[in-house]
Every structure is written in C-alpha cells, then in structure tokens.
Amino acid sequence: MNLTVDQASPGGIPGPEDHWPADSLPPGLASARMFRSIRAARSWLHAQGAAVTSPDAGALVKMKPGDGGVPLFMIPGAAGSILQLGPLADKMPEPMPVYAIRPRGLNGSEQPCESIRDMAENGIIAMRAIRPVGPCLLLGYSAGGLVALEMAQLLTAAGHAVPLVILIDTYPGRRVWPLRCHVEILGRQVVRALWALRRYSLAGARREVLRRLRSLFDYLAAAGVRALPSLPVLIEGTSAASRRIYLATYKAGEAYRPARYDGKVIFIQPDAVPNLEPRSPEQVWRRFLGNLDVRRVTGTTHSGFVESGAAATAATIRECLRQAGVTYQQY
Amino acid sequence: MLVKETIVAEFKRVAGEQGKTLAALGDGMMLLETGLDSLCFAVIVARLEDGFGFDPFQTAGDETFPVTFGDFVRFYEAAAHAHSAD
C-alpha cells in the first residue's frame, strides 16, 4: 500500500503496514530536517521540556514563561511543528510570555482547518482561553505568517489591540504577486541560467536548458498561468498528521487573498533570498499592508531563521519590539 | 544496559506517555514511520542525553543523521564508543 496523506490511517498515526508516501519529502531529508530542528531547540527543550512536551498540552503551548506582560503568540510553519519555534522563543525578552498555537489536527483525531480564516479563528479561540482581553503580539513563520495576519485582521476588527505582527519570510500565493515581481525573479533566473551554461558541454547545456525550462513552467503554473498544469505538492512533515496539516495549510495559503491591513507589520527576510522569492518583499506586500517594515537578518536562510540563525533573528525581533514601543511594562 | 535496549525502552516509554501507537522497531523501520512525531523524538534525544551523558546530534554532521531505527541505534553506539574512548 502506498500511503498518501489523504489515505493516512484513522487517527493520523501510521501503522507498521504503511509506507512512506511518494508525494512527500524523501525520508532522509525529512529526518535530517527534524533532527536539525531538535538540535537547534536543545537549550529551549532543556529549559521548558516538561511543559512543552506534556501530552496534555492543547492547542496553546507555553513556550516560555513570563510575568504577565503583553504576550507573544507564535504560529508555526505549514507542518505545524512548534519545535522549530523553540530556539526563537528561548531568546525572546525575559519578561515576555511566549506561546505557540498548534494547528488543529496534530493529535490526529480532528481534521485540519481548510482555510486561513478557519486557522485564524482556531488560533484566536486558543489564545482567548488564556487572554480573553488585552493586546497581544503575533508572529508567524512562513505559512504561519498568513494565519498571524488573518488573526490580526479579526482581532482588530473586534476592537482588540495588536501592536505588532511579525512575518518571518511569509508570502501569499504567487497568484497575487504583481507582474513586475515575477519579471524581476524570472529575469534574475535567466541571468543565472546563462551564466551557469558556460560550464557545460553542448549535450550538458541542452539538458540544463530543458531542466530550467521545466522549472520555468513550474513557476508559471504556480503563478497562475492557466494553460499549464498545477504542480504536485511535495509534502513535508514528520508524521501522517503533520503531513496532512502541511497539505491543508499549503492549499489554504494558495487560496488565501489577504485583505488590507494597516496595523504595524515587520517582515523578517533571510540574508540569502531564495531564488524564487522577490528581493524586495514590499513588491508583494505593499498593496495589502499599509504599515510594513522589512528587516533582513544577516547570515540567515529560510530555515536558518529558526535554527542556526535563531539568535540573530531573535535579536532583530527584540529590536523591532523596542522600536515599536512594545515593552512588557506598557501593559 | 546495552545501548539498543536503552533506546528501545525510551521509544516505548515516550510512545506510552504521548499516547502514540509504536510500530515494531526493526532495524529497517524508518524513524518517521514509527508512529512518533518530532516532539517525541526531541524528548527521546533529551532523555538519552540524560542517560548516556552525551548527545551525538550536537557534534555530528547533518549528512550522518539517522533515517532508520537501525541507523539511530548505530549512531548512538558509535557515539558511546567515542565517548568511552575520551
């Protein structure tokens, strides 16, 4: 049996007869990512381990205790792993309580949310259980940033203060990116490809051109060119439940159309901008976010934000909090 | 206690605590198919560090990280050997 995410065993727990799903990240790579996250989260786990690994932990997990000041709520990336947020939580300002919001479906007995709005509402319910009133700070990593942004929309619409939203390398689906953003990315890729072709023999160059053309078609399909077939999703996650959440979040993110938000938002960008992302996140976000500030963190990559680059990322976040006038004494 | 026995005991203990159904731990069983999630593995690694006195993931290169249960046991056996030689 070739277990796909949608066919996973009831309860989300793979049984011994299940095999690694073919549409998922190769197991070697998935294992390596998991152990890198575990390694990066070591000091946080030693400090907070008993609380965060409690099987009784619900949708809201206390990542770091604080003194009751304005709390920071973190939303993990598409696979829903709070482990990857541990190194960041560990380095947040001492008095600030930090929580992570786990996506619905991780325990396997519930279906994952199917839209960013549902995920945001789910997050607010979890959050309000411990903070029924009062302001809060929101941080989302990768796809989790879309959920954080939607939560901010809902909270402010309901009259609650959200002094700051932090997006860590978060983008909406490429279909809503402006044309000039695609032109910039594709232009950069063409220059790279031409430069790279110098190294190849004639036969090798032909293969390389074909490979890059496939990559171009994939990009255009993701950007919404209807003449091209949609891309299969390479699913991430370390369990059947997390892979199911990853797929649901991916689809929800692709379908999400952000509404205009004028609250303060900080976008944290990696130093090494991924090939298929814009150099300037403002190009994508400008029409959705009225008060956006972009910070690039030296020496980081997309995954490095929450691994080797966690200290630098946390330092940037602390500085953003200070500049935004968000101090724990404020509340 | 042998390294493998300690590891098997820890897998069973964590699976029980977290309410997970643990698959049969053959050497070829992929770690990500054992029924445990990343948080379970984080607990296992932390407890094995407490028990053995070392954490091989702190010093190993990413390319050597285990994929199967057999890899995981060998990973710790090699680290135990190196640790005892120090």
Side-chain angles (χ1 to χ4, degrees):
Chain A
M1 181 180 74
N2 186 19
L3 178 75
T4 67
V5 168
D6 291 331
Q7 296 163 333
S9 334
I13 299 166
E17 76 281 7
D18 297 331
H19 298 294
W20 190 256
D23 53 358
S24 296
L25 204 65
L29 196 49
S31 286
R33 284 191 183 181
M34 178 181 74
F35 286 119
R36 273 208 310 269
S37 290
I38 290 173
R39 180 170 62 190
R42 182 185 190 228
S43 68
W44 168 73
L45 272 168
H46 278 280
Q48 314 293 341
V52 298
T53 59
S54 164
D56 300 326
L60 196 70
V61 179
K62 185 178 262 191
M63 303 288 278
K64 185 182 81 62
D67 70 351
V70 59
L72 173 66
F73 293 90
M74 295 177 153
I75 296 98
S81 168
I82 63 163
L83 193 64
Q84 58 183 194
L85 299 174
L88 273 185
D90 198 35
K91 293 174 177 62
M92 285 296 104
E94 197 59 43
M96 172 184 280
V98 180
Y99 298 87
I101 297 173
R102 303 172 85 190
R104 194 171 71 198
L106 262 187
N107 65 6
S109 61
E110 292 178 310
Q111 285 300 309
C113 296
E114 291 184 349
S115 71
I116 296 294
R117 170 62 69 96
D118 286 349
M119 291 171 193
E121 287 172 348
N122 194 52
I124 289 172
I125 290 168
M127 192 183 92
R128 288 300 174 208
I130 59 115
R131 192 169 176 82
V133 292
C136 63
L137 305 165
L138 298 169
L139 177 151
Y141 172 52
S142 197
L146 299 179
V147 181
L149 190 58
E150 188 65 16
M151 285 175 69
Q153 300 266 19
L154 295 172
L155 287 166
T156 50
H160 299 290
V162 182
L164 185 62
V165 179
I166 300 164
L167 307 179
I168 299 188
D169 212 19
T170 296
Y171 290 96
R174 285 197 192 115
R175 285 162 202 257
V176 300
W177 296 11
L179 181 61
R180 67 178 175 171
C181 190
H182 295 302
V183 171
E184 180 236 307
I185 291 167
L186 293 175
R188 201 187 329 143
Q189 293 303 97
V190 167
V191 170
R192 274 196 186 145
L194 292 174
W195 188 252
L197 283 177
R198 295 174 306 119
R199 298 195 305 265
Y200 291 93
S201 64
L202 199 58
R206 185 172 171 274
R207 280 195 298 275
E208 180 63 10
V209 167
L210 288 173
R211 187 185 73 78
R212 287 183 181 264
L213 278 175
R214 272 198 302 275
S215 172
L216 171 65
F217 289 150
D218 290 348
Y219 181 92
L220 293 174
V225 176
R226 290 188 183 152
L228 296 167
S230 299
L231 279 180
V233 183
L234 189 64
I235 300 165
E236 298 182 24
T238 55
S239 65
S242 67
R243 289 193 291 273
R244 206 162 42 223
I245 288 168
Y246 181 93
L247 186 60
T249 307
Y250 175 87
K251 287 179 177 173
E254 287 296 299
Y256 182 59
R257 300 290 177 268
R260 177 88 182 170
Y261 179 72
D262 289 320
K264 181 74 181 168
V265 177
I266 303 278
F267 184 101
I268 308 271
Q269 186 180 33
D271 200 16
V273 177
N275 284 345
L276 300 181
E277 286 186 4
R279 290 255 177 245
S280 168
E282 290 99 330
Q283 286 184 345
V284 172
W285 282 113
R286 189 178 295 128
R287 67 183 164 130
F288 302 115
L289 302 176
N291 190 357
L292 173 67
D293 188 8
V294 176
R295 303 294 175 89
R296 188 177 281 197
V297 182
T298 307
T300 52
T301 59
H302 180 78
S303 60
F305 278 133
V306 287
E307 292 172 359
S308 56
T313 307
T316 302
I317 293 170
R318 288 198 302 269
E319 178 63 13
C320 293
L321 293 171
R322 194 187 61 74
Q323 288 181 356
V326 180
T327 60
Y328 77 100
Q329 291 97 336
Q330 186 177 348
Y331 302 99
Chain B
M1 189 186 274
L2 293 174
V3 169
K4 185 172 183 176
E5 289 169 349
T6 306
I7 290 172
V8 169
E10 206 55 69
F11 271 61
K12 287 180 177 171
R13 181 179 164 203
V14 170
E17 288 172 355
Q18 300 289 325
K20 306 288 187 190
T21 305
L22 189 64
L25 296 176
D27 279 357
M29 167 61 72
M30 281 198 284
L31 291 169
L32 300 184
E33 290 187 321
T34 53
L36 304 180
D37 60 20
S38 55
L39 218 47
C40 292
F41 281 104
V43 176
I44 288 170
V45 170
R47 287 195 184 151
L48 289 176
E49 182 183 2
D50 291 342
F52 290 139
F54 59 84
D55 174 6
F57 290 98
Q58 292 301 313
T59 49
D62 296 7
E63 69 284 353
T64 64
F65 283 175
V67 178
T68 65
F69 181 72
D71 295 339
F72 190 87
V73 171
R74 286 189 290 276
F75 190 65
Y76 271 88
E77 284 174 340
H81 183 71
H83 189 70
S84 64
D86 287 343

PDB file of all heavy atoms in Angstrom, chain A residues 33-47:
ATOM      1  N   ARG A  33      15.957  17.155   8.542  1.00  0.00           N
ATOM      2  CA  ARG A  33      15.333  18.420   8.979  1.00  0.00           C
ATOM      3  C   ARG A  33      14.842  18.322  10.410  1.00  0.00           C
ATOM      4  O   ARG A  33      14.984  19.243  11.190  1.00  0.00           O
ATOM      5  CB  ARG A  33      14.157  18.762   8.059  1.00  0.00           C
ATOM      6  CG  ARG A  33      14.610  19.302   6.728  1.00  0.00           C
ATOM      7  CD  ARG A  33      13.449  19.875   5.977  1.00  0.00           C
ATOM      8  NE  ARG A  33      13.878  20.323   4.665  1.00  0.00           N
ATOM      9  CZ  ARG A  33      13.073  20.884   3.777  1.00  0.00           C
ATOM     10  NH1 ARG A  33      11.812  21.042   4.043  1.00  0.00           N
ATOM     11  NH2 ARG A  33      13.531  21.271   2.614  1.00  0.00           N
ATOM     12  N   MET A  34      14.229  17.165  10.720  1.00  0.00           N
ATOM     13  CA  MET A  34      13.699  17.004  12.076  1.00  0.00           C
ATOM     14  C   MET A  34      14.835  17.048  13.105  1.00  0.00           C
ATOM     15  O   MET A  34      14.735  17.766  14.112  1.00  0.00           O
ATOM     16  CB  MET A  34      12.953  15.673  12.194  1.00  0.00           C
ATOM     17  CG  MET A  34      12.414  15.432  13.590  1.00  0.00           C
ATOM     18  SD  MET A  34      11.569  13.865  13.745  1.00  0.00           S
ATOM     19  CE  MET A  34      12.939  12.712  13.757  1.00  0.00           C
ATOM     20  N   PHE A  35      15.917  16.320  12.838  1.00  0.00           N
ATOM     21  CA  PHE A  35      16.995  16.298  13.829  1.00  0.00           C
ATOM     22  C   PHE A  35      17.731  17.645  13.893  1.00  0.00           C
ATOM     23  O   PHE A  35      18.257  18.008  14.943  1.00  0.00           O
ATOM     24  CB  PHE A  35      17.953  15.138  13.556  1.00  0.00           C
ATOM     25  CG  PHE A  35      17.372  13.800  13.936  1.00  0.00           C
ATOM     26  CD1 PHE A  35      17.176  12.802  12.998  1.00  0.00           C
ATOM     27  CD2 PHE A  35      16.991  13.555  15.254  1.00  0.00           C
ATOM     28  CE1 PHE A  35      16.613  11.586  13.361  1.00  0.00           C
ATOM     29  CE2 PHE A  35      16.438  12.332  15.624  1.00  0.00           C
ATOM     30  CZ  PHE A  35      16.253  11.347  14.675  1.00  0.00           C
ATOM     31  N   ARG A  36      17.757  18.378  12.783  1.00  0.00           N
ATOM     32  CA  ARG A  36      18.333  19.736  12.836  1.00  0.00           C
ATOM     33  C   ARG A  36      17.483  20.616  13.756  1.00  0.00           C
ATOM     34  O   ARG A  36      18.005  21.396  14.545  1.00  0.00           O
ATOM     35  CB  ARG A  36      18.392  20.357  11.435  1.00  0.00           C
ATOM     36  CG  ARG A  36      19.652  20.014  10.666  1.00  0.00           C
ATOM     37  CD  ARG A  36      20.005  21.110   9.666  1.00  0.00           C
ATOM     38  NE  ARG A  36      18.898  21.510   8.833  1.00  0.00           N
ATOM     39  CZ  ARG A  36      18.615  20.977   7.650  1.00  0.00           C
ATOM     40  NH1 ARG A  36      19.365  20.009   7.179  1.00  0.00           N
ATOM     41  NH2 ARG A  36      17.601  21.412   6.939  1.00  0.00           N
ATOM     42  N   SER A  37      16.155  20.486  13.628  1.00  0.00           N
ATOM     43  CA  SER A  37      15.266  21.264  14.500  1.00  0.00           C
ATOM     44  C   SER A  37      15.464  20.877  15.961  1.00  0.00           C
ATOM     45  O   SER A  37      15.492  21.737  16.849  1.00  0.00           O
ATOM     46  CB  SER A  37      13.795  21.024  14.134  1.00  0.00           C
ATOM     47  OG  SER A  37      13.495  21.599  12.909  1.00  0.00           O
ATOM     48  N   ILE A  38      15.602  19.574  16.200  1.00  0.00           N
ATOM     49  CA  ILE A  38      15.793  19.101  17.573  1.00  0.00           C
ATOM     50  C   ILE A  38      17.116  19.642  18.128  1.00  0.00           C
ATOM     51  O   ILE A  38      17.190  20.110  19.262  1.00  0.00           O
ATOM     52  CB  ILE A  38      15.763  17.553  17.614  1.00  0.00           C
ATOM     53  CG1 ILE A  38      14.339  17.058  17.332  1.00  0.00           C
ATOM     54  CG2 ILE A  38      16.268  17.027  18.952  1.00  0.00           C
ATOM     55  CD1 ILE A  38      14.208  15.550  17.177  1.00  0.00           C
ATOM     56  N   ARG A  39      18.147  19.592  17.297  1.00  0.00           N
ATOM     57  CA  ARG A  39      19.457  20.103  17.740  1.00  0.00           C
ATOM     58  C   ARG A  39      19.362  21.597  18.071  1.00  0.00           C
ATOM     59  O   ARG A  39      19.870  22.059  19.082  1.00  0.00           O
ATOM     60  CB  ARG A  39      20.502  19.855  16.644  1.00  0.00           C
ATOM     61  CG  ARG A  39      21.890  20.351  17.019  1.00  0.00           C
ATOM     62  CD  ARG A  39      22.935  19.880  16.038  1.00  0.00           C
ATOM     63  NE  ARG A  39      22.691  20.387  14.706  1.00  0.00           N
ATOM     64  CZ  ARG A  39      23.340  19.985  13.618  1.00  0.00           C
ATOM     65  NH1 ARG A  39      24.250  19.042  13.712  1.00  0.00           N
ATOM     66  NH2 ARG A  39      23.074  20.490  12.431  1.00  0.00           N
ATOM     67  N   ALA A  40      18.695  22.341  17.170  1.00  0.00           N
ATOM     68  CA  ALA A  40      18.593  23.793  17.382  1.00  0.00           C
ATOM     69  C   ALA A  40      17.779  24.118  18.632  1.00  0.00           C
ATOM     70  O   ALA A  40      18.019  25.126  19.295  1.00  0.00           O
ATOM     71  CB  ALA A  40      17.959  24.446  16.156  1.00  0.00           C
ATOM     72  N   ALA A  41      16.827  23.247  18.944  1.00  0.00           N
ATOM     73  CA  ALA A  41      15.908  23.531  20.062  1.00  0.00           C
ATOM     74  C   ALA A  41      16.419  22.982  21.389  1.00  0.00           C
ATOM     75  O   ALA A  41      15.708  23.032  22.396  1.00  0.00           O
ATOM     76  CB  ALA A  41      14.532  22.942  19.757  1.00  0.00           C
ATOM     77  N   ARG A  42      17.646  22.487  21.409  1.00  0.00           N
ATOM     78  CA  ARG A  42      18.152  21.769  22.587  1.00  0.00           C
ATOM     79  C   ARG A  42      18.061  22.588  23.881  1.00  0.00           C
ATOM     80  O   ARG A  42      17.505  22.126  24.879  1.00  0.00           O
ATOM     81  CB  ARG A  42      19.600  21.370  22.332  1.00  0.00           C
ATOM     82  CG  ARG A  42      20.234  20.578  23.429  1.00  0.00           C
ATOM     83  CD  ARG A  42      21.682  20.370  23.082  1.00  0.00           C
ATOM     84  NE  ARG A  42      22.354  19.426  23.933  1.00  0.00           N
ATOM     85  CZ  ARG A  42      23.529  19.681  24.487  1.00  0.00           C
ATOM     86  NH1 ARG A  42      24.115  20.840  24.297  1.00  0.00           N
ATOM     87  NH2 ARG A  42      24.119  18.771  25.235  1.00  0.00           N
ATOM     88  N   SER A  43      18.590  23.807  23.858  1.00  0.00           N
ATOM     89  CA  SER A  43      18.613  24.556  25.126  1.00  0.00           C
ATOM     90  C   SER A  43      17.196  24.919  25.559  1.00  0.00           C
ATOM     91  O   SER A  43      16.871  24.916  26.750  1.00  0.00           O
ATOM     92  CB  SER A  43      19.495  25.803  25.019  1.00  0.00           C
ATOM     93  OG  SER A  43      18.915  26.734  24.145  1.00  0.00           O
ATOM     94  N   TRP A  44      16.350  25.228  24.589  1.00  0.00           N
ATOM     95  CA  TRP A  44      14.949  25.525  24.922  1.00  0.00           C
ATOM     96  C   TRP A  44      14.262  24.305  25.518  1.00  0.00           C
ATOM     97  O   TRP A  44      13.531  24.398  26.513  1.00  0.00           O
ATOM     98  CB  TRP A  44      14.228  25.993  23.652  1.00  0.00           C
ATOM     99  CG  TRP A  44      12.739  26.060  23.772  1.00  0.00           C
ATOM    100  CD1 TRP A  44      12.018  26.990  24.463  1.00  0.00           C
ATOM    101  CD2 TRP A  44      11.793  25.155  23.196  1.00  0.00           C
ATOM    102  NE1 TRP A  44      10.665  26.710  24.340  1.00  0.00           N
ATOM    103  CE2 TRP A  44      10.507  25.593  23.565  1.00  0.00           C
ATOM    104  CE3 TRP A  44      11.902  24.018  22.394  1.00  0.00           C
ATOM    105  CZ2 TRP A  44       9.349  24.932  23.164  1.00  0.00           C
ATOM    106  CZ3 TRP A  44      10.761  23.368  21.992  1.00  0.00           C
ATOM    107  CH2 TRP A  44       9.489  23.822  22.373  1.00  0.00           C
ATOM    108  N   LEU A  45      14.520  23.142  24.924  1.00  0.00           N
ATOM    109  CA  LEU A  45      13.900  21.915  25.430  1.00  0.00           C
ATOM    110  C   LEU A  45      14.352  21.612  26.854  1.00  0.00           C
ATOM    111  O   LEU A  45      13.552  21.196  27.697  1.00  0.00           O
ATOM    112  CB  LEU A  45      14.264  20.737  24.530  1.00  0.00           C
ATOM    113  CG  LEU A  45      13.343  20.495  23.348  1.00  0.00           C
ATOM    114  CD1 LEU A  45      13.974  19.511  22.377  1.00  0.00           C
ATOM    115  CD2 LEU A  45      11.979  19.981  23.816  1.00  0.00           C
ATOM    116  N   HIS A  46      15.641  21.825  27.112  1.00  0.00           N
ATOM    117  CA  HIS A  46      16.137  21.561  28.464  1.00  0.00           C
ATOM    118  C   HIS A  46      15.500  22.508  29.477  1.00  0.00           C
ATOM    119  O   HIS A  46      15.237  22.127  30.608  1.00  0.00           O
ATOM    120  CB  HIS A  46      17.662  21.656  28.505  1.00  0.00           C
ATOM    121  CG  HIS A  46      18.331  20.397  28.047  1.00  0.00           C
ATOM    122  ND1 HIS A  46      18.478  19.298  28.855  1.00  0.00           N
ATOM    123  CD2 HIS A  46      18.851  20.044  26.855  1.00  0.00           C
ATOM    124  CE1 HIS A  46      19.078  18.318  28.188  1.00  0.00           C
ATOM    125  NE2 HIS A  46      19.308  18.754  26.952  1.00  0.00           N
ATOM    126  N   ALA A  47      15.250  23.755  29.029  1.00  0.00           N
ATOM    127  CA  ALA A  47      14.670  24.737  29.950  1.00  0.00           C
ATOM    128  C   ALA A  47      13.168  24.541  30.140  1.00  0.00           C
ATOM    129  O   ALA A  47      12.646  24.694  31.243  1.00  0.00           O
ATOM    130  CB  ALA A  47      14.951  26.148  29.432  1.00  0.00           C
TER     131      ALA A  47
END
